[in-house]
Amino acid sequence: MGRAKTGTTPTSKDTGSQRALRTLNTNKIFDALTRHGAQTQANLARLTGLSAGTVSNIVRELVDEGRVTTESVVASGRRSALVSLVPDPRIVLGLDVGRSHMRILASDTSHRTFGRQDLQVGADLNPHETFTLARGMVDRLIQEHDIDESKIVQVGIAVPASAAPQSGRVVQGSVLPHWASYDLASISAEILGRPTVLENDASLGALAQLTYGSRPASGTVIYIKVASGIGIGIAINGTVYRSTSGLSGEIGHIQLFDGGDVCYCGNRGCLETLASSRRIVSDLAHVRRNPKTSLDDVIKGAQQHDPAVRRILAESGSALGRVVATLANIFGPDVIVLGGPLAPAGQDFLDPVVHTARQQALPAALAETTFVLSEFGDEDEVRGACALALHHLLGS
Ligand SMILES: [Zn+2]
């Protein structure tokens, strides 16, 4: 008998936003089952805030996919379906490749993360050298957590450059210029021994907020990564924006002044020459007459409300705020998340950005916008890489 498919049941005509909504709702049900154990469908509706019909549709699909089981029970005098998670032993790994660090994190399919490993690396390594070091980190993680190696089935990789989703190549190599000619997905898959998928780190910062964050993923979320480069990831109704070429979100190369310092992209007066962590550290080194000044000194100075650090962050934050005002006029975002290694500097870093953005954007563009610092500290990219691997594995 023909029955119209409704709610979150996917059809060939599903739009991107419908798929995103289904993923969001499925994640809510998984989170409820992970946190509270087996539940009746009525309880799942209560715990997730979803309608009984939506819960029923998603549970039916998950039973078909073998991810949950149901059994008939009597609860509160009524017959009901008790939903249980089918234990999934599969593990994914996230790998965050930075200019001078690598970080690895494991995640199970219920979004529990564990096993973080960190390594400082030289900035001039080629991909083969980088992924060989990563292989060593994976081996350590396996050993320390006594993991059955066969359970690690997918790797996601965050790279600090725009990357073409199909070819796995860096398409805008300003941060890793010597990587532009390599097929990173093939090299990493060969060395790490598992299928790998990679994406720009700022886009993955946005994906991390959606997958692991405590905030609702609906609406428009802009994640801003301020590091030695500055980029954004954009998520709209639970889906991260991806351009065909892989190039997007490179706000660091928006020109704010005709003159100004030369950027490594070749232009003058780019945002990155005014607000990157490199520029901020260099300014503080100049003020303190100490060439060994580091990012840690900036963070410590901000936490102690050092006047010079506050002034430097105010100037850089104001430059970033000008660009955020433009983004606000274009997107009218619901949430703007500021992340990257400067996030621990806290409000002294965030406030000048918000102040200038509100001053220069159309008032309505930011009227409903929430500005926050990322809740994951330095794990945005590596969690985003785990999320990318999970989405790839689970087809969500
Ligand atoms: Zn530039």
Side-chain angles (χ1 to χ4, degrees):
M1 191 174 85
R3 187 165 56 86
K5 291 185 172 181
T6 56
T8 57
T9 305
T11 73
S12 59
K13 291 180 182 171
D14 257 5
T15 63
S17 64
Q18 280 173 319
R19 276 197 302 277
L21 185 62
R22 178 193 181 273
T23 302
L24 185 65
N25 291 343
T26 304
N27 285 346
K28 282 182 182 173
I29 289 176
F30 263 95
D31 284 347
L33 291 171
T34 303
R35 283 180 199 174
H36 305 286
Q39 297 293 322
T40 63
Q41 293 202 16
N43 272 351
L44 280 176
R46 189 174 52 77
L47 288 166
T48 59
L50 299 173
S51 72
T54 299
V55 169
S56 173
N57 280 339
I58 292 177
V59 166
R60 195 163 49 236
E61 288 166 27
L62 292 175
V63 168
D64 288 346
E65 292 167 10
R67 298 170 70 191
V68 302
T69 56
T70 57
E71 61 178 307
S72 185
V73 294
V74 175
S76 307
R78 296 176 60 185
R79 192 153 288 282
S80 182
L82 186 72
V83 184
S84 307
L85 279 178
V86 173
D88 185 344
R90 293 178 297 177
I91 293 168
V92 301
L93 296 181
L95 167 62
D96 170 26
V97 177
R99 276 172 58 83
S100 57
H101 76 270
M102 278 200 289
R103 188 164 294 134
I104 279 186
L105 193 66
S107 176
D108 65 19
T109 58
S110 301
H111 299 171
R112 274 186 296 251
T113 60
F114 60 97
R116 171 173 164 167
Q117 307 274 330
D118 289 89
L119 188 69
Q120 294 298 314
V121 296
D124 52 358
L125 297 180
N126 68 37
H128 290 95
E129 293 164 331
T130 298
F131 293 124
T132 300
L133 287 173
R135 174 71 226 194
M137 296 169 77
V138 173
D139 289 343
R140 268 198 304 284
L141 187 151
I142 288 169
Q143 205 172 16
E144 284 176 16
H145 292 266
D146 199 18
I147 296 170
D148 175 353
E149 199 170 335
S150 67
K151 289 178 180 166
I152 302 175
V153 292
Q154 179 76 49
V155 178
I157 301 175
V159 289
S162 288
Q166 299 304 324
S167 69
R169 288 179 189 275
V170 173
V171 293
Q172 203 277 347
S174 53
V175 174
L176 291 170
H178 53 300
W179 282 31
S181 60
Y182 292 94
D183 178 349
L184 298 182
S186 298
I187 296 169
S188 56
E190 190 186 324
I191 294 175
L192 298 174
R194 285 152 184 95
T196 68
V197 55
L198 61 97
E199 190 158 3
N200 167 261
D201 56 5
S203 294
L204 292 181
L207 192 62
Q209 313 302 315
L210 305 185
T211 307
Y212 294 98
S214 57
R215 296 175 165 278
S218 55
T220 302
V221 179
I222 295 180
Y223 171 85
I224 305 173
K225 177 181 178 178
V226 180
S228 46
I230 303 176
I232 61 168
I234 304 158
I236 300 171
N237 289 328
T239 301
V240 173
Y241 171 75
R242 293 173 168 108
S243 71
T244 307
S245 68
L247 182 69
S248 68
E250 296 280 0
I251 64 165
H253 301 287
I254 291 177
Q255 192 185 31
L256 291 180
F257 298 102
D258 281 340
D261 295 342
V262 177
C263 178
Y264 57 78
C265 74
N267 284 336
R268 281 183 181 276
C270 291
L271 175 64
E272 276 185 23
T273 66
L274 298 161
S276 68
S277 58
R278 236 187 313 206
R279 174 61 190 258
I280 290 166
V281 170
S282 148
D283 283 353
L284 187 61
H286 182 73
V287 169
R288 291 188 174 171
R289 295 182 177 83
N290 179 1
K292 290 185 178 165
T293 301
S294 68
L295 193 62
D296 279 349
D297 296 318
V298 175
I299 307 290
K300 274 185 212 143
Q303 287 165 348
Q304 292 162 0
H305 304 300
D306 177 296
V309 171
R310 294 185 82 171
R311 208 168 295 152
I312 291 166
L313 288 175
E315 193 178 23
S316 294
S318 177
L320 178 57
R322 288 176 60 188
V323 173
V324 170
T326 303
L327 292 172
N329 286 349
I330 297 170
F331 291 102
D334 296 273
V335 181
I336 293 178
V337 183
L338 201 50
L342 272 166
Q347 290 303 126
D348 281 353
F349 176 46
L350 181 62
D351 288 347
V353 179
V354 179
H355 178 76
T356 303
R358 290 205 184 279
Q359 206 170 38
Q360 300 198 358
L362 289 170
L366 287 173
E368 304 292 330
T369 308
T370 306
F371 286 86
V372 289
L373 293 161
S374 173
E375 61 189 293
F376 303 127
D378 56 8
E379 288 190 356
D380 285 331
E381 299 85 359
V382 77
R383 281 175 182 257
C386 285
L388 178 68
L390 282 175
H391 285 239
H392 202 73
L393 179 69
L394 303 174
S396 53

